[in-house]
Amino acid sequence: MIHRIVTIIATASGAIAVCSLGYYILCLYSAARFLGRGKAVGEGSRPTQSLPPVSILKPLKGTDPEMYQSFRSHCLQDYPEYEIIFGVSDAHDPAIGFVERLKAEFPEIPIRLMLCEKVLGANIKVSNLAQMLPEARYQHIVVNDSDIRIDANYLRSVAAPLSDHRVGLVTCLYRGVASASLGSRLESLFISTDFSAGVLVARLLEGGIHFGLGSTLAFRRSDLAATGGFEAMSDYLADDYEIGRRIAALGLGVELSGTVVETFLPCYDFKQFLNHQLRWARTIRDSRPGGYAGLVVIFGMPWALLALLCARGAGWAWVLLGVAIVMRYAVALVTGRMILQDPQVTRWLALIPLRDFVAAAVWLVGITGHTVTWRGESFELKDGKLVRMGAALHSPAGDGSSSKRPSE
């Protein structure tokens, strides 16, 4: 009886591992398609007259690694006209000092700081955005997270596609710059070798993407209003996903820019890393249950190793494991190095097996449960919305980040 069960497990895990090889092929093909199309819509040179004035909205909560340099990159744009509006919900937020320093260094840039005193929903970031938007001067809006660093052509790349009335949202891939801890490095590998590859596969299979990433949300004010505005999304954890989904539901395109931005990751210890990954897993499961179930095929190496162990070292299982390893590393290098241009990927290739086995365990745990912890406060997820379970342990939920990491 035990022998039969082990044989069934070997066959099932081997079959899933074969499906994983198919997924890896899709990753490589979708990456090639993305690279072949110049990595984006709107990367070409466009005349200055076609670039509309832009309001950049940056909600803040606390400080992030390299925060001032990330802020500073927004003041070095090769763009004719734009403003930056920062928003905080606490008059004593430590990020305020960085904003004041920025205003002093760049007096020529219209920079404003807003105190957002109302609480419009469980997601304080979106609550702040709803209060910041009426203060914006322009019709074209760019929202990105507080820890995002950009290059000088960023605004040109994300604003230009919106000159096409068929495009409703522009978003960006990103690479995670790790701190010194193991958890931070594993998080960086996840972003560069798993998450970004999955976005490109979704883009291929769904004929485009139908969601946004918190690294960048560029849109027209009128299109956001047609979705119900920020107020309608103030209880969602994956607010960036929801904004993109709602704009796509209007019949407008969501474009993935070729510009890759950077996010600077905290120095997670291993427990913090696991909690962060579990929060992401449950957020995705709530937002895209079908997509979450499909994640079973991304763990090629764990499934192939399980097949090898249960098949007692059979030749076919060794071949399957070898091919899975080669394909997994090919996806990591193509996505991480060629598309995201992330030098950390090659530096930490040896951590990919650990990353994959941990990810498989998190995925299994994430199938059940609805509780997430965000900035010291516990919530229950119901249809993607946050429901408070108790008083805050440290600070209000929400910050200048979102599910782009996904879900800080």
Side-chain angles (χ1 to χ4, degrees):
M1 180 67 177
I2 294 177
H3 175 73
R4 184 175 180 181
I5 292 173
V6 170
T7 300
I8 291 172
I9 293 173
T11 302
S13 56
I16 297 173
V18 170
C19 292
S20 297
L21 300 183
Y23 172 74
Y24 293 151
I25 291 170
L26 275 177
C27 288
L28 295 173
Y29 179 67
S30 62
R33 286 281 298 271
F34 188 62
L35 288 168
R37 294 182 63 181
K39 293 170 39 177
V41 173
E43 280 195 323
S45 176
R46 293 181 185 240
T48 300
Q49 293 90 325
S50 69
L51 297 173
V54 170
S55 295
I56 302 175
L57 307 185
K58 291 187 73 70
L60 308 177
K61 176 71 171 73
T63 60
D64 299 303
E66 301 285 335
M67 190 175 217
Y68 185 71
Q69 291 304 318
S70 297
F71 285 0
R72 196 173 185 275
S73 69
H74 291 70
C75 297
L76 301 173
Q77 292 299 293
D78 177 19
Y79 201 82
E81 187 176 0
Y82 66 100
E83 65 173 353
I84 309 173
I85 302 174
F86 294 93
V88 295
S89 56
D90 180 356
H92 302 289
D93 194 296
I96 292 175
F98 290 126
V99 177
E100 296 300 335
R101 179 181 167 191
L102 194 73
K103 291 166 70 175
E105 183 178 356
F106 297 95
E108 71 280 9
I109 304 291
I111 300 172
R112 286 179 283 161
L113 175 66
M114 280 190 61
L115 178 60
C116 307
E117 297 179 311
K118 297 178 182 178
V119 177
L120 304 179
N123 187 325
I124 300 300
K125 170 195 165 183
V126 182
S127 175
N128 288 354
L129 284 169
Q131 296 168 74
M132 295 160 66
L133 184 62
E135 301 300 317
R137 298 172 182 168
Y138 305 125
Q139 294 303 308
H140 287 71
I141 307 296
V142 172
V143 177
N144 61 27
D145 289 338
S146 59
D147 59 352
I148 293 297
R149 187 174 299 181
I150 58 180
D151 64 31
N153 292 316
Y154 167 80
L155 279 183
R156 287 182 175 268
S157 296
V158 302
L162 293 173
S163 63
D164 184 345
H165 69 277
R166 296 169 297 180
V167 176
L169 182 79
V170 181
T171 193
C172 292
L173 294 174
Y174 54 95
R175 52 184 172 264
V177 180
S179 301
S181 68
L182 175 62
S184 188
R185 291 172 181 177
L186 292 175
E187 180 80 5
S188 176
L189 280 175
F190 159 67
I191 292 169
S192 292
T193 71
D194 289 343
F195 178 69
S196 297
V199 171
L200 294 178
V201 169
R203 177 177 177 267
L204 175 71
L205 295 182
E206 298 177 13
I209 62 175
H210 301 91
F211 51 87
L213 304 175
S215 56
T216 294
L217 299 167
F219 50 85
R220 287 177 290 268
R221 202 169 184 152
S222 57
D223 294 330
L224 178 69
T227 70
F230 285 125
E231 292 86 349
M233 289 164 269
S234 61
D235 285 322
Y236 284 88
L237 176 57
D239 51 273
D240 45 8
Y241 171 86
E242 189 66 19
I243 290 170
R245 185 190 70 81
R246 292 186 180 213
I247 288 179
L250 298 175
L252 298 171
V254 178
E255 297 292 349
L256 188 61
S257 173
T259 293
V260 176
V261 300
E262 290 183 327
T263 177
F264 286 78
L265 304 175
C267 194
Y268 295 119
D269 61 30
F270 202 71
K271 182 179 179 181
Q272 289 171 326
F273 164 72
L274 291 176
N275 287 336
H276 181 217
Q277 289 289 295
L278 183 59
R279 184 163 65 246
W280 171 82
R282 287 176 173 162
T283 301
I284 295 300
R285 188 202 66 201
D286 247 40
S287 300
R288 289 169 62 93
Y292 189 79
L295 292 178
V296 68
V297 302
I298 74 174
F299 310 116
M301 283 196 291
W303 288 119
L305 181 60
L306 179 60
L308 177 66
L309 294 174
C310 292
R312 299 179 181 180
W316 65 267
W318 278 108
V319 172
L320 182 59
L321 178 60
V323 175
I325 291 172
V326 170
M327 293 294 288
R328 173 68 176 99
Y329 275 84
V331 170
L333 290 170
V334 169
T335 306
R337 289 294 290 146
M338 295 181 67
I339 291 180
L340 300 185
Q341 299 179 7
D342 185 354
Q344 301 167 116
V345 171
T346 49
R347 194 181 313 154
W348 298 325
L349 280 175
L351 292 177
I352 286 181
L354 174 61
R355 156 67 212 163
D356 284 6
F357 281 95
V358 170
V362 169
W363 178 80
L364 285 171
V365 174
I367 291 174
T368 61
H370 295 274
T371 302
V372 297
T373 302
W374 193 22
R375 291 283 181 171
E377 189 170 0
S378 294
F379 295 89
E380 185 175 354
L381 273 176
K382 291 185 177 180
D383 300 322
K385 292 185 176 182
L386 293 164
V387 179
R388 282 189 175 87
M389 297 183 65
L393 300 176
H394 299 294
S395 62
D399 56 21
S401 64
S402 65
S403 60
K404 62 101 180 125
R405 290 197 186 114
S407 275
E408 175 63 30

